[in-house]
Amino acid sequence: MTLTSPTPRRRRAAYAAALVGALVPAAALTVPAAAVPSVDAPVLIDEVYGGGGNSGGAFDRDFIELHNPGQEPVSLAGWSVQYGSAGGSTWSGQTDLTGEIPAGGSYLVAQAFGSGSDQPDLPTPDVEGSIAMSGSGAKVALVSSTDRLDCLGTACADDDAVVDLVGWGSSTNTFLGSGPAPGTTNATSVSRAGHANTVDNAADFSTGTPTPVNSGADPEPTPTPTPTPTPTPTPSPSGAPDVVTIADIQGTGPVAALDGQDVTTRGVVTATYPTGGFDGIYLQTAGSGGDPADDATPGASDAVFVYSAALAGQVEVGDHVEVTGGVTEYFELTQVRAASWTVLTEPAEAVKPTVTSWPATDAEREALEGMLLAPQGDFVVTDNYSTNAYGTVGLAAGTTPLVQPTSVGRPGSAEAAAQAADNAARGVLLDDGSTWNYTSASRSGTPLPWLNGTDPVRVGAAVTFTAPVVLDYRYSAWGLQPTRQLTGANADGTQPATFADTRTDAPEDVGGDLQVATFNVLNYFTTTGDQLTGCQYYTDRAGDPISVRTGCDARGAADAENLERQETKIVAAISALGADVVALEEIEQSAAFDAPRDQALSDLTDALNEADGAGTWAFVASPAEVPASEDVIRNAFVYRTAAAEPVGDSRILLGSEAFGNARQPLAQTFQPVGGAADASDDVVVVTNHFKSKGSAGPWPGDADTGDGQGASNESRVRQATALVEFADEVAADAGTDKVLLVGDFNAYEQEDPIVVLTDAGYTDLGPTTGEWTYSYDGQVGSLDHVLASPAALEAVTGTDIWNINAVEPVANEYSRFNYNVTNLYDTTPFRSSDHDPIVVGLALAAPAPSDPAWEADVVYTAGDRVSLDGRTFVALWWTRGETPGASVWGAWAEVGSEVTTSAGVAHAWTPSGIYVAGDTVAYEGTLYEARWWTRNQTPGTPYGPWVAVG
């Protein structure tokens, strides 16, 4: 499945809006050489019109209007505006800018003319472009360079070169904030009302009649600058302001009781953030905290965030401070915007961390907003995907991570709803006290918080708090902040939590005489990007290509060096997995690159043999007939030659309309090496890779209905139905009813496609492990499955999901090599992919006959074996009636601690061995056969019990 890209997943849209709109003092503006979109962007995209020259158009050509909200002119030399279609994967048009935009003024960028001839002319543009823009929806970026953008989606909000961006129309894939601006017609544009900029396209833009303005128009009055806050002396008692408590400011509701009012309040500093982008402090009422039972203001928080970078740089934790300023709700976080402050000399009772378990409701959390906490009870990691980008770790209160609702209940069921509610109650962020993106060029030289390459931060790992934290609300989520910005450079004194190491060197022993596994190998391509034309790349912090982003059919490594990094981890994982048969998904289908179809599979097999020894591994060759049209990735098999052997040729599903948008299932029959001539120990294994959830397929039910199953659910249901028929055909031809359906089904455990398979009689083995194969959006679940037919289920001896990938930070992938100065790549199996492998043990060979119980009246001859009282004996000569073990020199010798051979099989002779007539041994290069019972008699002794063979 491909739910994620090789770039770090950005925070949810609401997170991004809060992030890029972080509080910035309004005093002075310095235009940077590179800028990320923010509320203080030096230049804005103010209006966009794409209906020019079309029927009903307002003007004869398209345009983009820019606005300078500041007090000084801004040079646009070396800048550009770039355009992309609503759903396009590239920025397809660009107009380079010149000159400057005046303070408070506009700048008009004219674009393509339409075919109409009766529309009004634009005002004289400041620069001419030729982009034919959409009249209904697209995306435009203002860029502080002339390099073509390579970002899409929310990633563009963190691109240092993007100064501003607007996406409009409901289908656009790139925008700022909660959603795109409204769609337009030939007669309308989207524009900012009063140049509003909250870094949310949906909120800032509205449609209306186009009103293009160039730089020659009179600029708007520039705003009066607000002076930087400076400390003021404590007033004399006669003129002292009314001091309100922080609890009075907060009140007991979700919005501050004194929202919109100017206040003066006092408290003790519990956290300071002069760096990292928070630009403020947390202030808490002196003496508050400790045992909640002693709370003097139940229901109302005793702490508040005070916004002022200057204040944050002047005070320390423990200072007693009086602050005057306005109360606001900034993205639902109560704050006082400090206008003045004084560090008081009078002593104040220290704040005590509130000792509490995780509050499950918003009301309980609001009552603790901003307060210093000593979290109690169990917490585990539930999300580490954004840790290497934003320094954020998702936690779940309790002993288990958050779970995908459709992993535990049918879509729309009460069980799924209960799981969703449980997720909402237990989820909390553990943050780093900053808004920084550590993958950006400006921050990648700062060591990452939390991740150091030594102490894993894995989903499901227990969390131990070692220092108090502040309960904070940002990015539309509750979070726990350290008391100052945390980075890898100050972790020893600042990091407030540690994580248990849950890694294992191998999966659990699943038993059986044949072990079968499935493993999605994350776009293993031996055709690298540099061998093709048009490839665009994800790059490291030095700008070197690491993996293919778009522009060509390759999906893996950018070059041989990165392929080796990827391959090393995959080989380590497959080797340590211990399986005899490994079904692979997301491996290159090499015929798409004018090579033999099995080339990449052969290359991976060679790498396995180089690691494990020549001849250890082999691959299953492609069928003689393959589909005429295939994806560039495919399904495949490798197997250990000493343990497994294919029976017959592989088969691929041909002619199925259901798999027109997925990878066709591949089937192969296997048996243990040296297996029976009949099909009694055969098992059919069918490997699969169904359509992903990320985009809608061609069928009527493929649109995402919001029930948790994602897009293309009907496609996957059709694929599951076709798979059942295909597996039945292959099994009938193979003469066995033991079948395993394995692979990446892109469906969680209780979703429709899996139910199609279980309704057909198959049993999903993954849920028996209590583990999951995938993690997405902070929730675990299994997209990968092994489903056993009834006969195969009887042969199952064990199942394990080896958690080496989905639970690991994405920062450990080869694709994130050198993204940050803390380089987390290593050659271990951990994060060799984004899916975890499943391994299943099967007992396929017929069990050896057990020894019969000894009976007193049965005649036994030399070599007969019996059991008695849990012990096994072999007859040394003819006997009847003598109890085994009753006499040391009797007719019976006990089998166990001493060696007893089987007739007809040659063993190395040992003096302590018990041998009977017909046993064969090897001694000094000669084979000998026993004529009668013996022990200690050296082979070759004249007239002894041994006779040389041959």
Side-chain angles (χ1 to χ4, degrees), residues 12-89:
R12 294 188 290 270
Y15 284 23
L19 182 69
V20 298
L23 299 168
V24 179
L29 171 65
T30 301
V31 179
V36 175
S38 76
V39 293
D40 289 307
V43 180
L44 300 174
I45 299 172
D46 211 42
E47 186 173 6
V48 179
Y49 174 61
N54 296 341
S55 176
F59 288 93
D60 61 346
R61 62 192 302 188
D62 305 336
F63 70 83
I64 301 164
E65 182 186 324
L66 308 180
H67 175 70
N68 176 3
Q71 306 164 52
E72 300 292 337
V74 175
S75 173
L76 299 179
W79 289 27
S80 63
V81 289
Q82 300 187 28
Y83 172 86
S85 63
S89 60

Coordinates of all heavy atoms in Angstrom, one line a residue, residues 12-89:
R12 N -1.7 17.6 10.2 CA -3.0 17.8 9.6 C -3.2 19.3 9.2 O -2.5 20.2 9.8 CB -4.1 17.4 10.6 CG -4.1 15.9 10.9 CD -5.3 15.6 11.7 NE -5.3 16.1 13.1 CZ -4.7 15.4 14.1 NH1 -4.2 14.2 13.8 NH2 -4.7 15.9 15.3
A13 N -4.1 19.6 8.3 CA -4.3 20.9 7.8 C -4.4 22.0 8.9 O -3.9 23.0 8.9 CB -5.5 21.0 6.9
A14 N -5.2 21.6 9.9 CA -5.4 22.6 11.0 C -4.0 22.8 11.8 O -3.7 23.8 12.2 CB -6.4 22.1 12.0
Y15 N -3.2 21.7 11.9 CA -1.9 21.8 12.5 C -1.1 22.8 11.6 O -0.4 23.7 12.1 CB -1.2 20.5 12.4 CG -1.6 19.4 13.4 CD1 -2.8 19.4 14.0 CD2 -0.7 18.4 13.7 CE1 -3.2 18.5 14.9 CE2 -1.0 17.5 14.6 CZ -2.3 17.5 15.2 OH -2.6 16.5 16.1
A16 N -1.1 22.6 10.3 CA -0.3 23.4 9.4 C -0.7 24.9 9.5 O 0.2 25.8 9.5 CB -0.4 23.0 8.0
A17 N -2.0 25.2 9.6 CA -2.4 26.6 9.7 C -1.9 27.2 11.0 O -1.4 28.3 11.0 CB -3.9 26.7 9.7
A18 N -1.9 26.5 12.1 CA -1.4 27.0 13.4 C 0.1 27.1 13.3 O 0.7 28.1 13.8 CB -1.8 26.1 14.5
L19 N 0.7 26.2 12.7 CA 2.2 26.1 12.6 C 2.7 27.3 11.9 O 3.6 28.0 12.4 CB 2.6 24.8 11.9 CG 4.1 24.6 11.9 CD1 4.7 24.3 13.2 CD2 4.4 23.4 10.9
V20 N 2.3 27.5 10.6 CA 2.9 28.6 9.9 C 2.3 29.9 10.3 O 2.9 31.0 10.0 CB 2.6 28.4 8.4 CG1 3.2 27.1 7.9 CG2 1.1 28.4 8.1
G21 N 1.2 30.0 11.1 CA 0.7 31.2 11.6 C 1.2 31.4 13.0 O 0.5 32.1 13.8
A22 N 2.3 30.9 13.4 CA 2.8 31.0 14.8 C 3.0 32.4 15.1 O 3.3 33.3 14.3 CB 4.2 30.3 14.9
L23 N 2.8 32.7 16.4 CA 2.8 34.1 16.9 C 4.2 34.8 16.6 O 5.2 34.3 17.0 CB 2.6 34.1 18.4 CG 1.3 33.5 18.8 CD1 1.3 33.3 20.3 CD2 0.1 34.4 18.4
V24 N 4.1 35.9 15.9 CA 5.3 36.7 15.5 C 5.1 38.1 15.9 O 4.0 38.7 15.5 CB 5.6 36.6 14.0 CG1 6.8 37.4 13.6 CG2 5.7 35.1 13.6
P25 N 6.0 38.8 16.5 CA 5.8 40.2 16.9 C 5.5 41.0 15.7 O 6.1 40.8 14.6 CB 7.1 40.6 17.6 CG 7.7 39.3 18.0 CD 7.3 38.2 17.0
A26 N 4.6 42.0 15.8 CA 4.2 42.8 14.7 C 5.0 44.0 14.5 O 4.7 44.9 13.7 CB 2.7 43.2 14.9
A27 N 6.1 44.2 15.2 CA 6.9 45.4 15.2 C 7.6 45.6 13.9 O 7.3 46.5 13.1 CB 7.8 45.5 16.4
A28 N 8.7 44.9 13.7 CA 9.5 45.1 12.5 C 9.4 43.9 11.6 O 9.2 42.8 12.0 CB 10.9 45.3 13.0
L29 N 9.6 44.1 10.3 CA 9.6 43.1 9.3 C 10.9 43.1 8.5 O 11.3 44.1 8.0 CB 8.4 43.3 8.3 CG 8.4 42.3 7.1 CD1 8.2 40.9 7.6 CD2 7.3 42.8 6.1
T30 N 11.6 42.0 8.6 CA 12.8 41.8 7.8 C 12.5 40.7 6.7 O 12.2 39.6 7.0 CB 14.0 41.3 8.6 OG1 14.2 42.3 9.6 CG2 15.2 41.1 7.8
V31 N 12.6 41.1 5.5 CA 12.3 40.2 4.4 C 13.4 39.2 4.2 O 14.5 39.6 3.9 CB 12.1 40.9 3.1 CG1 11.7 39.9 2.0 CG2 10.9 41.9 3.2
P32 N 13.2 37.9 4.5 CA 14.3 36.9 4.4 C 14.5 36.5 3.0 O 13.7 36.7 2.1 CB 13.7 35.7 5.2 CG 12.2 35.8 5.0 CD 11.9 37.3 4.9
A33 N 15.7 35.9 2.7 CA 16.0 35.4 1.4 C 15.1 34.2 1.1 O 14.8 33.9 -0.1 CB 17.5 35.0 1.4
A34 N 14.7 33.5 2.1 CA 13.7 32.4 1.9 C 12.7 32.5 3.0 O 13.0 32.9 4.2 CB 14.5 31.0 2.0
A35 N 11.5 32.2 2.8 CA 10.4 32.4 3.7 C 9.4 31.3 3.6 O 9.1 30.8 2.5 CB 9.8 33.8 3.6
V36 N 8.9 30.9 4.8 CA 7.8 29.9 4.8 C 6.5 30.7 4.9 O 6.4 31.7 5.7 CB 8.0 28.9 5.9 CG1 6.8 28.0 6.0 CG2 9.2 28.1 5.7
P37 N 5.4 30.3 4.3 CA 4.1 31.1 4.4 C 3.8 31.3 5.9 O 3.8 30.4 6.7 CB 3.1 30.2 3.8 CG 3.8 29.4 2.8 CD 5.2 29.2 3.4
S38 N 3.4 32.6 6.3 CA 3.1 32.9 7.6 C 2.2 34.1 7.7 O 2.0 34.7 6.6 CB 4.4 33.2 8.5 OG 4.9 34.5 8.2
V39 N 1.7 34.4 8.8 CA 0.8 35.6 8.9 C 1.6 36.9 8.7 O 1.0 37.9 8.4 CB 0.1 35.7 10.3 CG1 -0.8 34.5 10.5 CG2 1.2 35.6 11.4
D40 N 2.9 36.8 8.7 CA 3.7 38.0 8.5 C 4.5 37.8 7.2 O 5.6 38.4 7.0 CB 4.7 38.2 9.6 CG 4.0 38.7 10.9 OD1 3.3 39.7 10.8 OD2 4.2 38.0 11.9
A41 N 3.9 37.1 6.2 CA 4.5 37.0 4.9 C 4.8 38.4 4.3 O 3.9 39.3 4.4 CB 3.6 36.2 3.9
P42 N 6.0 38.7 3.8 CA 6.3 40.0 3.3 C 5.5 40.5 2.1 O 5.3 41.6 1.9 CB 7.8 40.0 3.0 CG 8.0 38.5 2.7 CD 7.1 37.8 3.6
V43 N 5.0 39.5 1.3 CA 4.2 39.7 0.1 C 3.1 38.7 0.1 O 3.4 37.5 0.4 CB 5.0 39.7 -1.2 CG1 4.2 40.0 -2.4 CG2 6.2 40.8 -1.1
L44 N 1.9 39.1 -0.3 CA 0.8 38.1 -0.4 C 0.3 37.9 -1.8 O 0.4 38.9 -2.6 CB -0.4 38.6 0.5 CG -0.1 38.8 1.9 CD1 -1.4 39.4 2.6 CD2 0.2 37.5 2.6
I45 N -0.2 36.8 -2.1 CA -1.0 36.6 -3.3 C -2.4 37.1 -2.9 O -3.1 36.5 -2.1 CB -1.1 35.1 -3.8 CG1 0.3 34.6 -4.1 CG2 -2.0 35.0 -5.0 CD1 0.4 33.1 -4.4
D46 N -2.8 38.3 -3.5 CA -4.0 38.9 -3.1 C -5.2 38.6 -3.9 O -6.4 38.6 -3.4 CB -3.8 40.4 -3.1 CG -4.6 41.2 -2.1 OD1 -4.6 40.7 -0.9 OD2 -5.2 42.2 -2.4
E47 N -5.0 38.2 -5.2 CA -6.2 37.9 -6.0 C -5.7 37.0 -7.2 O -4.6 37.2 -7.7 CB -6.8 39.2 -6.6 CG -8.1 38.9 -7.4 CD -8.8 40.2 -7.8 OE1 -8.3 41.3 -7.5 OE2 -9.9 40.1 -8.3
V48 N -6.5 36.1 -7.6 CA -6.2 35.2 -8.7 C -7.4 35.1 -9.6 O -8.6 34.8 -9.1 CB -5.8 33.8 -8.2 CG1 -5.5 32.9 -9.4 CG2 -4.6 33.9 -7.3
Y49 N -7.2 35.2 -10.9 CA -8.3 35.2 -11.9 C -7.9 34.3 -13.1 O -6.9 34.6 -13.7 CB -8.7 36.6 -12.3 CG -9.7 36.6 -13.4 CD1 -11.0 36.1 -13.2 CD2 -9.4 37.2 -14.7 CE1 -12.0 36.2 -14.3 CE2 -10.4 37.3 -15.7 CZ -11.6 36.8 -15.5 OH -12.6 36.8 -16.5
G50 N -8.7 33.3 -13.4 CA -8.3 32.4 -14.5 C -9.3 32.4 -15.6 O -9.2 31.5 -16.5
G51 N -10.3 33.2 -15.6 CA -11.4 33.2 -16.7 C -11.2 34.2 -17.8 O -12.1 34.4 -18.6
G52 N -10.0 34.8 -17.8 CA -9.8 35.9 -18.8 C -9.9 35.5 -20.2 O -9.3 34.5 -20.7
G53 N -10.7 36.3 -21.0 CA -10.9 36.0 -22.4 C -11.8 34.9 -22.7 O -12.0 34.5 -23.9
N54 N -12.4 34.2 -21.7 CA -13.3 33.1 -21.9 C -14.7 33.7 -22.1 O -15.0 34.9 -21.7 CB -13.3 32.1 -20.8 CG -12.0 31.4 -20.7 OD1 -11.2 31.4 -21.7 ND2 -11.7 30.9 -19.5
S55 N -15.7 32.9 -22.5 CA -17.1 33.4 -22.6 C -17.6 33.8 -21.2 O -17.5 33.1 -20.2 CB -17.9 32.2 -23.1 OG -19.3 32.6 -23.1
G56 N -18.1 35.1 -21.2 CA -18.5 35.6 -19.9 C -17.4 36.2 -19.1 O -17.7 36.5 -17.9
G57 N -16.2 36.2 -19.6 CA -15.1 36.7 -18.8 C -15.2 38.2 -18.5 O -15.7 39.0 -19.2
A58 N -14.5 38.5 -17.3 CA -14.5 39.9 -16.9 C -13.4 40.7 -17.5 O -13.5 42.0 -17.6 CB -14.4 40.0 -15.3
F59 N -12.3 40.1 -17.9 CA -11.2 40.7 -18.6 C -10.7 39.8 -19.7 O -11.1 38.7 -19.8 CB -10.1 41.0 -17.6 CG -10.4 42.1 -16.6 CD1 -11.0 41.9 -15.4 CD2 -10.2 43.5 -16.9 CE1 -11.3 42.9 -14.5 CE2 -10.5 44.5 -16.1 CZ -11.1 44.2 -14.8
D60 N -9.8 40.4 -20.5 CA -9.3 39.7 -21.7 C -8.2 38.7 -21.4 O -7.9 37.9 -22.3 CB -8.9 40.7 -22.8 CG -7.7 41.5 -22.3 OD1 -7.4 41.6 -21.1 OD2 -7.1 42.2 -23.2
R61 N -7.7 38.7 -20.2 CA -6.6 37.7 -19.9 C -6.6 37.4 -18.4 O -7.2 38.1 -17.6 CB -5.3 38.3 -20.3 CG -4.9 39.6 -19.7 CD -3.7 40.2 -20.4 NE -2.5 39.4 -20.4 CZ -1.3 39.8 -20.8 NH1 -1.1 41.0 -21.2 NH2 -0.3 38.9 -20.9
D62 N -6.0 36.3 -18.0 CA -5.8 35.9 -16.7 C -4.8 36.8 -15.9 O -4.0 37.4 -16.5 CB -5.3 34.5 -16.6 CG -6.2 33.5 -17.4 OD1 -7.4 33.8 -17.6 OD2 -5.7 32.4 -17.8
F63 N -4.9 36.8 -14.6 CA -3.9 37.6 -13.8 C -3.8 37.0 -12.4 O -4.6 36.3 -11.9 CB -4.3 39.1 -13.8 CG -5.5 39.4 -12.9 CD1 -5.4 39.6 -11.6 CD2 -6.8 39.6 -13.5 CE1 -6.5 39.9 -10.8 CE2 -7.9 39.9 -12.8 CZ -7.7 40.1 -11.4
I64 N -2.6 37.5 -11.8 CA -2.3 37.2 -10.4 C -1.9 38.6 -9.8 O -1.0 39.2 -10.4 CB -1.2 36.2 -10.2 CG1 -1.5 34.9 -10.9 CG2 -0.8 36.0 -8.8 CD1 -0.3 34.0 -11.1
E65 N -2.6 38.9 -8.8 CA -2.2 40.2 -8.1 C -1.6 40.0 -6.8 O -2.0 39.2 -6.0 CB -3.5 41.1 -7.9 CG -3.2 42.4 -7.3 CD -4.5 43.2 -7.0 OE1 -5.5 43.0 -7.7 OE2 -4.5 43.9 -5.9
L66 N -0.5 40.7 -6.6 CA 0.3 40.6 -5.3 C 0.1 41.8 -4.5 O -0.3 42.9 -5.0 CB 1.8 40.4 -5.6 CG 2.2 39.3 -6.5 CD1 3.7 39.2 -6.7 CD2 1.7 37.9 -6.1
H67 N 0.3 41.7 -3.2 CA 0.1 42.8 -2.3 C 1.2 42.8 -1.2 O 1.6 41.8 -0.7 CB -1.2 42.8 -1.6 CG -1.4 43.8 -0.5 ND1 -1.6 45.2 -0.8 CD2 -1.5 43.8 0.9 CE1 -1.7 45.9 0.3 NE2 -1.6 45.1 1.3
N68 N 1.7 44.0 -0.9 CA 2.8 44.2 0.1 C 2.1 44.8 1.3 O 1.7 46.0 1.3 CB 3.9 45.2 -0.4 CG 4.9 45.5 0.7 OD1 4.9 45.0 1.8 ND2 5.9 46.3 0.3
P69 N 1.9 44.1 2.4 CA 1.2 44.6 3.6 C 2.1 45.4 4.5 O 1.7 46.0 5.5 CB 0.7 43.4 4.3 CG 1.8 42.3 4.0 CD 2.2 42.6 2.6
G70 N 3.4 45.5 4.1 CA 4.4 46.1 5.0 C 4.6 47.6 4.8 O 3.9 48.3 4.0
Q71 N 5.6 48.2 5.5 CA 5.9 49.6 5.5 C 7.0 50.0 4.6 O 7.4 51.2 4.5 CB 6.2 50.0 6.9 CG 5.1 49.7 7.9 CD 5.6 49.8 9.3 OE1 6.2 50.8 9.7 NE2 5.5 48.7 10.1
E72 N 7.7 49.0 4.0 CA 8.8 49.2 3.1 C 8.6 48.5 1.8 O 8.0 47.5 1.8 CB 10.1 48.7 3.8 CG 10.5 49.4 5.1 CD 10.8 50.9 5.0 OE1 11.2 51.3 3.9 OE2 10.7 51.6 6.0
P73 N 9.2 49.1 0.7 CA 9.1 48.3 -0.6 C 9.8 47.0 -0.4 O 10.8 46.9 0.4 CB 9.8 49.3 -1.5 CG 9.8 50.6 -0.9 CD 9.9 50.4 0.6
V74 N 9.4 46.1 -1.2 CA 10.0 44.7 -1.2 C 10.5 44.5 -2.7 O 9.7 44.5 -3.6 CB 9.1 43.6 -0.8 CG1 9.7 42.3 -0.9 CG2 8.7 43.9 0.7
S75 N 11.8 44.1 -2.8 CA 12.3 43.8 -4.1 C 11.8 42.4 -4.5 O 11.9 41.4 -3.7 CB 13.8 43.8 -4.1 OG 14.3 43.3 -5.4
L76 N 11.3 42.2 -5.7 CA 10.9 40.9 -6.2 C 11.9 40.3 -7.2 O 11.6 39.3 -7.8 CB 9.5 41.1 -6.9 CG 8.4 41.6 -6.1 CD1 7.1 41.7 -6.9 CD2 8.1 40.7 -4.9
A77 N 13.1 40.9 -7.3 CA 14.1 40.4 -8.2 C 14.5 39.0 -7.7 O 14.8 38.7 -6.6 CB 15.3 41.3 -8.2
G78 N 14.5 38.0 -8.7 CA 14.9 36.7 -8.4 C 13.7 35.8 -7.8 O 13.9 34.7 -7.5
W79 N 12.5 36.5 -7.8 CA 11.3 35.7 -7.3 C 10.5 35.3 -8.5 O 10.8 35.7 -9.7 CB 10.4 36.6 -6.5 CG 11.0 36.9 -5.1 CD1 12.3 37.0 -4.7 CD2 10.2 37.3 -3.9 NE1 12.4 37.3 -3.4 CE2 11.1 37.5 -2.9 CE3 8.8 37.4 -3.7 CZ2 10.7 37.9 -1.6 CZ3 8.4 37.8 -2.4 CH2 9.4 38.0 -1.3
S80 N 9.5 34.5 -8.3 CA 8.6 34.0 -9.4 C 7.2 33.6 -8.8 O 7.1 33.5 -7.6 CB 9.2 32.7 -10.0 OG 9.3 31.6 -9.1
V81 N 6.3 33.6 -9.8 CA 5.0 33.0 -9.4 C 4.9 31.7 -10.2 O 5.3 31.7 -11.4 CB 3.8 33.9 -9.7 CG1 3.7 35.1 -8.8 CG2 3.8 34.4 -11.2
Q82 N 4.4 30.6 -9.6 CA 4.4 29.3 -10.3 C 2.9 28.8 -10.2 O 2.2 29.0 -9.2 CB 5.4 28.4 -9.7 CG 6.8 28.9 -9.8 CD 7.9 27.9 -9.4 OE1 7.7 26.7 -9.4 NE2 9.0 28.4 -8.9
Y83 N 2.6 28.0 -11.2 CA 1.2 27.6 -11.4 C 1.1 26.1 -11.6 O 2.0 25.5 -12.2 CB 0.6 28.3 -12.6 CG -0.8 27.8 -13.0 CD1 -2.0 28.3 -12.4 CD2 -0.9 26.8 -14.0 CE1 -3.2 27.8 -12.8 CE2 -2.2 26.3 -14.4 CZ -3.3 26.8 -13.8 OH -4.6 26.4 -14.1
G84 N 0.1 25.5 -11.0 CA -0.2 24.1 -11.3 C -1.7 23.8 -11.4 O -2.5 24.5 -10.7
S85 N -2.1 22.8 -12.1 CA -3.5 22.5 -12.2 C -4.0 21.9 -10.9 O -3.2 21.6 -10.0 CB -3.7 21.5 -13.3 OG -3.0 20.2 -13.0
A86 N -5.3 21.9 -10.7 CA -5.9 21.5 -9.4 C -5.4 20.2 -8.9 O -4.9 20.1 -7.8 CB -7.4 21.5 -9.5
G87 N -5.4 19.2 -9.8 CA -5.0 17.8 -9.3 C -3.6 17.4 -9.8 O -3.2 16.3 -9.7
G88 N -2.9 18.4 -10.5 CA -1.6 18.0 -11.1 C -0.5 17.7 -10.1 O -0.5 18.1 -8.9
S89 N 0.4 16.9 -10.5 CA 1.5 16.5 -9.7 C 2.8 17.3 -9.9 O 3.8 17.0 -9.3 CB 1.9 15.0 -9.9 OG 2.2 14.8 -11.3

